Amino acid sequence: MPHSHHSHSGQFCRHAKDQLEDVIQEAIRQGFEVFGLSEHAPRYRMEDLFPEESDLTPTDLSATYQSFLTLASSLRTKYALQISLLVSIETDYITPLDLSGLSTILLKHQEIDYVVGSVHHVNGISIDFDRPTCDRTNPNLLPTFSPSEEMLRPFLNRYFDAQFELIELHQPEVLGHIDLCLLWTPEISLKKMKGVREKLERNIRAVIAYGGLFEANAAAIRKGWGTSYPCRDILRLIKSLGGRICLSDDSHGVSYVGLNYLKMRDYLISEQIDEIWYLEPSSTSPSYSKEGSQQTGPHTASNDNTVEESQIVGKRGRVVARKVQGWAEHPFWKKLEAAQGECTS
């Protein structure tokens, strides 16, 4: 589908590549119609900076995000006739400083359309930098050791509890890679992990309650998974509870835009995901329903036969979620395949 709600650029993220405008131009070339610019929120302690940020300070990270907002707002206007650009922030929860810091940013910067609510740390340690770093969250684990469910239980409990705090306080309009905690242990199933499973379901129900979206995130495929995030078990749970799926490439540069989208499409089709959702600013949406009210009726897209309905998301009310049925037959997929073929030929 021609939407992505999660992206980064090397201009504002040290572990990404390329200029922000180049990323946007690539999204346009591939046929995206909605593209979320979601640079990372600042971190507030020196010990939370990444190795590639050794020459920076938390103050520098705050200035970087401010610069991103200025440029993103300018580029949104510049490319308004070619693509709908949404300005976002991907948060984290390392310590309570991150939650309070996000509150300050959201109050100050009304140009932020939505939040991608992600957790990348447990016990103050990054869980997606590499496997050895992640294993430091549990001293009983070794990088070459395949942990049991019981050994992972404390780690998973802390992850889902942190995720719940983020959900409860900020109601992120998009919940980012819900099962990032399984990145290095995709063979682990939460189905029979009593307690952990209940926390996961609690989190899913909390997001559903305020109308939030769960991203299907293609980055898991380039990191070695056979599926996108969420994995099959969790995707099925989200679907069974009535959760709403949106799409993200989690791109970190030009070469990552739309990467593995075709594989993610096939995965979602295999799991019978019949509808997907995307966000648009409530200020520009022709019709939407307030939380808990009846929807105002269908909106038919002009370029195909899909039917779209919209509903406001979260307590901030800055965006509405619009439903698309028949998404797998959208002309975007053929255009994407052709555009990506040009890059490899």
Side-chain angles (χ1 to χ4, degrees):
M1 203 61 195
H3 321 131
S4 177
H5 295 81
H6 186 166
S7 69
H8 304 278
S9 72
Q11 190 170 355
F12 301 104
C13 173
R14 287 282 182 94
H15 59 267
K17 300 177 181 179
D18 306 315
Q19 297 294 291
L20 179 60
E21 187 165 9
D22 293 336
V23 171
I24 292 168
Q25 289 175 347
E26 178 63 14
I28 293 170
R29 189 188 74 84
Q30 291 192 23
F32 282 87
E33 295 176 2
V34 175
F35 201 76
L37 310 175
S38 57
E39 293 296 356
H40 289 287
R43 278 152 280 125
Y44 299 95
R45 305 184 306 168
M46 287 296 296
E47 56 264 44
D48 296 331
L49 272 61
F50 298 128
E52 68 269 17
E53 298 169 334
S54 59
D55 60 324
L56 302 177
T57 67
T59 300
D60 294 326
L61 296 186
S62 294
T64 295
Y65 187 75
Q66 298 263 354
S67 297
F68 158 72
L69 287 178
T70 300
L71 181 58
S73 297
S74 173
L75 294 175
R76 171 159 57 183
T77 301
K78 178 178 179 179
Y79 290 100
L81 296 180
Q82 297 171 266
I83 193 170
S84 175
L85 296 175
L86 300 178
V87 178
S88 178
I89 184 168
E90 185 185 15
T91 190
D92 204 338
Y93 180 19
I94 310 173
T95 73
L97 287 174
D98 301 288
L99 299 185
S100 61
L102 180 60
S103 295
T104 300
I105 289 172
L106 293 177
L107 284 173
K108 182 178 179 181
H109 295 288
Q110 295 299 305
E111 67 269 38
I112 297 175
D113 295 310
Y114 67 97
V115 173
V116 178
S118 303
V119 175
H120 304 89
H121 294 74
V122 171
N123 294 334
I125 297 171
S126 172
I127 65 172
D128 64 340
F129 184 77
D130 57 30
R131 176 66 186 270
T133 302
C134 180
D135 286 342
R136 285 170 43 211
T137 64
N138 187 337
N140 295 322
L141 301 184
L142 297 173
T144 57
F145 180 65
S146 181
S148 67
E149 293 178 359
E150 286 307 308
M151 288 181 174
L152 280 176
R153 185 181 297 276
F155 165 78
L156 295 173
N157 279 328
R158 291 188 184 98
Y159 176 86
F160 287 118
D161 282 343
Q163 189 178 73
F164 184 65
E165 286 192 56
L166 176 59
I167 290 167
E168 285 283 278
L169 180 59
H170 287 298
Q171 294 190 357
E173 291 84 353
V174 173
L175 189 66
H177 36 60
I178 185 173
D179 50 355
L180 184 68
C181 54
L182 299 177
L183 173 59
W184 309 108
T185 55
E187 72 281 0
I188 294 292
S189 172
L190 304 185
K191 272 187 174 182
K192 298 180 180 179
M193 293 189 69
K194 187 172 177 58
V196 175
R197 178 77 169 191
E198 284 73 16
K199 289 185 177 186
L200 168 63
E201 183 171 334
R202 170 200 64 189
N203 293 6
I204 294 172
R205 290 186 184 278
V207 173
I208 292 172
Y210 64 79
L213 306 184
F214 301 86
E215 67 169 6
N217 183 319
I221 299 173
R222 65 176 164 85
K223 294 186 178 184
W225 280 25
T227 72
S228 67
Y229 305 111
C231 65
R232 290 189 189 276
D233 288 348
I234 297 178
L235 180 63
R236 291 171 184 174
L237 179 59
I238 292 171
K239 181 182 177 184
S240 71
L241 295 174
R244 307 189 294 188
I245 301 297
C246 66
L247 304 184
S248 296
D249 61 13
D250 200 351
S251 52
H252 279 63
V254 170
S255 64
Y256 298 99
V257 173
L259 182 64
N260 291 315
Y261 249 43
L262 295 168
K263 292 180 180 179
M264 182 164 68
R265 176 201 60 185
D266 294 343
Y267 165 54
L268 296 177
I269 290 173
S270 75
E271 289 299 320
Q272 300 180 326
I273 302 299
D274 299 324
E275 60 188 41
I276 61 102
W277 297 72
Y278 69 95
L279 298 178
E280 65 178 25
S282 56
S283 60
T284 61
S285 181
S287 64
Y288 63 86
S289 63
K290 292 187 177 181
E291 188 175 4
S293 66
Q294 295 295 315
Q295 292 181 336
T296 56
H299 167 76
T300 303
S302 60
N303 60 347
D304 57 27
N305 294 321
T306 60
V307 175
E308 303 179 358
E309 298 174 346
S310 60
Q311 189 173 29
I312 201 162
V313 181
K315 61 184 180 182
R316 296 177 66 233
R318 299 300 304 275
V319 290
V320 298
R322 193 174 287 283
K323 180 171 72 174
V324 185
Q325 295 173 315
W327 64 274
E329 288 77 42
H330 193 283
F332 164 73
W333 298 108
K334 289 185 178 179
K335 184 172 182 178
L336 176 68
E337 189 172 9
Q340 293 185 348
E342 290 173 4
C343 290
T344 57
S345 61

